[in-house]
Amino acid sequence: MSGFVFKQFKVEHDHCAMKVSTDGILLGAWANLSGAKSLLDIGTGTGLLALMCKQRSNELDITAVEIDESAYTQALQNVANSPWPTISITHQTIQRFSSEVKFDVVISNPPYFNHSLKGDNAARNTARHTDGLSFEELINAFKHLSHSGSRFSLILPSVEGALFIELATQNGLYLNTHCQVKATPNKDISRSLMTFSYVKSDIESSILCIRNLDNTYTADYIALCKAFYLKM
């Protein structure tokens, strides 16, 4: 089976370089959507984040942008086959994307490999490497497409997350919420879930562990994701 079946929708990902992953599910379940009326998903891939956020808040007006044509086509299909066919998907680079709407929430599971070796799959390289979308360009996109009350949520590996925090701070953004993720209690922290805004606040910090030592999901992870996983 090529797809990933959730409780309320299914995501086909056989034509996408980046498959449905725990990273995407974490961000889609975790991102702060409170009070938001409009959301932009940068680099939607399969459409997963857009679909998860729409399930969480049906009132949200969601726009998603995707550069890769195969992923764009598959995202269109996934949205059309979902309960929320009104999600708008644009085949465009975020650098060239413009909108009259300034979005309340911007969300992204972005490329993050800065200098690592590349494979032979061009689409996968685009999805994984920052050549096509640097952290600076991502921050600039948020600033261009947001208003003073907007929030920007994303997930990155811990090392890249630290670099992003530094760059975002230099560009006038503040880290408001930081959830550090580890696979199991005895593993190092591997991912950073982060929310930035233009408003300085005390940083709300937490640690989320995905699995217990016996490989079952932790209570925290179940509480976060049970609305989506079919067997949770």
Side-chain angles (χ1 to χ4, degrees):
M1 185 176 69
S2 66
F4 200 106
V5 181
F6 293 92
K7 280 180 179 166
Q8 294 191 33
F9 59 91
K10 182 181 179 184
V11 174
E12 299 286 352
H13 55 190
D14 54 318
H15 296 303
C16 288
M18 295 307 290
K19 310 302 183 190
V20 171
S21 67
T22 303
D23 281 12
I25 294 167
L26 276 167
L27 180 59
W30 179 84
N32 180 359
L33 306 180
S34 65
K37 299 282 194 295
S38 58
L39 179 142
L40 174 66
D41 176 15
I42 298 177
T44 195
T46 60
L48 172 68
L49 289 178
L51 288 162
M52 289 182 73
C53 291
K54 190 67 173 174
Q55 178 183 320
R56 288 178 56 197
S57 180
N58 196 33
E59 304 304 307
L60 265 181
D61 187 14
I62 297 182
T63 301
V65 178
E66 175 54 50
I67 183 177
D68 180 75
E69 190 165 5
S70 296
Y72 163 71
T73 304
Q74 188 137 63
L76 282 179
Q77 172 199 340
N78 286 331
V79 164
N81 293 335
S82 79
W84 314 286
T86 56
I87 293 170
S88 168
I89 304 177
T90 302
H91 181 213
Q92 178 67 279
T93 65
I94 196 62
Q95 294 94 329
R96 289 177 174 269
F97 176 75
S98 62
S99 168
E100 290 179 10
V101 174
K102 299 298 184 188
F103 296 93
D104 298 329
V105 172
V106 177
I107 193 171
S108 185
N109 179 7
Y112 54 77
F113 289 123
N114 285 301
H115 304 293
S116 55
L117 292 171
K118 295 185 179 177
D120 296 330
N121 184 325
R124 189 167 169 82
N125 285 338
T126 300
R128 288 166 67 91
H129 291 264
T130 58
D131 298 7
L133 179 63
S134 69
F135 289 166
E136 191 125 27
E137 286 171 316
L138 189 56
I139 290 165
N140 286 339
F142 170 70
K143 292 173 77 172
H144 178 59
L145 295 160
S146 60
H147 55 76
S148 61
S150 300
R151 294 187 296 267
F152 182 25
S153 292
L154 70 161
I155 185 167
L156 285 168
S158 297
V159 172
E160 285 77 8
L163 292 172
F164 194 93
I165 291 167
E166 191 177 331
L167 197 57
T169 305
Q170 290 168 9
N171 279 273
L173 300 180
Y174 295 99
L175 177 65
N176 303 126
T177 318
H178 190 192
C179 176
Q180 295 179 294
V181 183
K182 47 167 68 180
T184 56
N186 56 350
K187 293 269 176 70
D188 290 336
I189 285 163
S190 60
R191 293 288 186 270
S192 280
L193 285 157
M194 300 164 287
T195 298
F196 297 87
S197 75
Y198 298 105
V199 181
K200 189 172 186 177
S201 68
D202 290 337
I203 299 168
E204 190 182 319
S205 299
S206 60
I207 292 177
L208 174 69
C209 194
I210 296 175
R211 290 182 182 271
N212 298 303
L213 289 174
D214 63 3
N215 212 36
T216 57
Y217 286 127
T218 63
D220 285 347
Y221 189 72
I222 290 170
L224 183 66
C225 298
K226 66 184 176 187
F228 301 100
Y229 279 96
L230 205 54
K231 297 176 179 176
M232 189 178 267

